[in-house]
Amino acid sequence: MASPRDIIGRGFAFPINVDAKGSMAWSVPLANDTTQNRLDALEDRMRQLLLTTVGERVLFKEYGTDIVTSILGLAQPALAASILRRFVDAIGRWEKRVVVVKHDVSVRPKEGMILFTLVWRSSSTGAMGMTVLPISTRFKEQS
């Protein structure tokens, strides 16, 4: 059983999944001393930021982006680029441990998806990371 010291300051992994033992996977603590674990944790935080709707968090009403509410219009390159710009701005505001070095959005209508790509650097270590976030633009019709 995990001790309280192992759990304090942690939550479920995002997206929520199961670990190798069949238990709920925990998020990677930022205090973990390996560079790869820190990069994984930062990438996890950026995914949370992108997929959290503005107003969804009770204590931080302005945290997040509007990608979920704009999902139907994402196939339009101009809207996708606008959302990417707002996401990069949100990272600058809410995730001070990351500096975005390069960002791109690729609308792929044939595959029914949009790829948001961020190349970033950890502010504390200088280590580089890359996050690719595929968002589906296809929706199943309900019968």
Side-chain angles (χ1 to χ4, degrees):
M1 183 170 173
S3 72
R5 173 173 247 152
D6 296 330
I7 297 173
I8 293 175
R10 296 180 71 189
F12 292 123
F14 183 84
I16 294 175
N17 59 48
V18 179
D19 66 14
K21 297 177 187 176
S23 300
M24 292 299 290
W26 290 95
S27 63
V28 178
L30 283 173
N32 198 313
D33 59 0
T34 67
T35 300
Q36 188 58 50
N37 281 346
R38 282 193 213 120
L39 293 176
D40 290 345
L42 288 171
E43 182 168 357
D44 181 54
R45 300 314 188 276
M46 287 189 289
R47 287 179 185 276
Q48 288 178 28
L49 180 60
L50 178 67
L51 298 174
T52 299
T53 303
V54 174
E56 183 176 341
R57 292 202 173 177
V58 175
L59 296 177
F60 300 102
K61 294 277 188 198
E62 296 174 8
Y63 181 88
T65 63
D66 56 356
I67 190 170
V68 176
T69 57
S70 303
I71 198 91
L72 293 174
L74 276 178
Q76 301 169 8
L79 181 57
S82 173
I83 289 173
L84 177 65
R85 181 73 246 152
R86 287 185 296 232
F87 179 40
V88 170
D89 291 345
I91 290 171
R93 179 175 182 190
W94 295 103
E95 191 48 75
K96 303 292 186 193
R97 296 166 290 197
V98 171
V99 175
V100 176
V101 177
K102 183 179 177 185
H103 54 83
D104 186 44
V105 62
S106 174
V107 178
R108 299 184 177 183
K110 288 182 182 177
E111 292 96 353
M113 73 168 48
I114 295 173
L115 293 177
F116 293 98
T117 305
L118 299 169
V119 177
W120 47 272
R121 178 175 42 83
S122 167
S123 301
S124 61
T125 66
M128 298 293 288
M130 184 168 92
T131 302
V132 178
L133 302 161
I135 305 291
S136 175
T137 58
R138 292 190 179 151
F139 302 96
K140 294 181 181 177
E141 292 185 21
Q142 296 184 9
S143 45

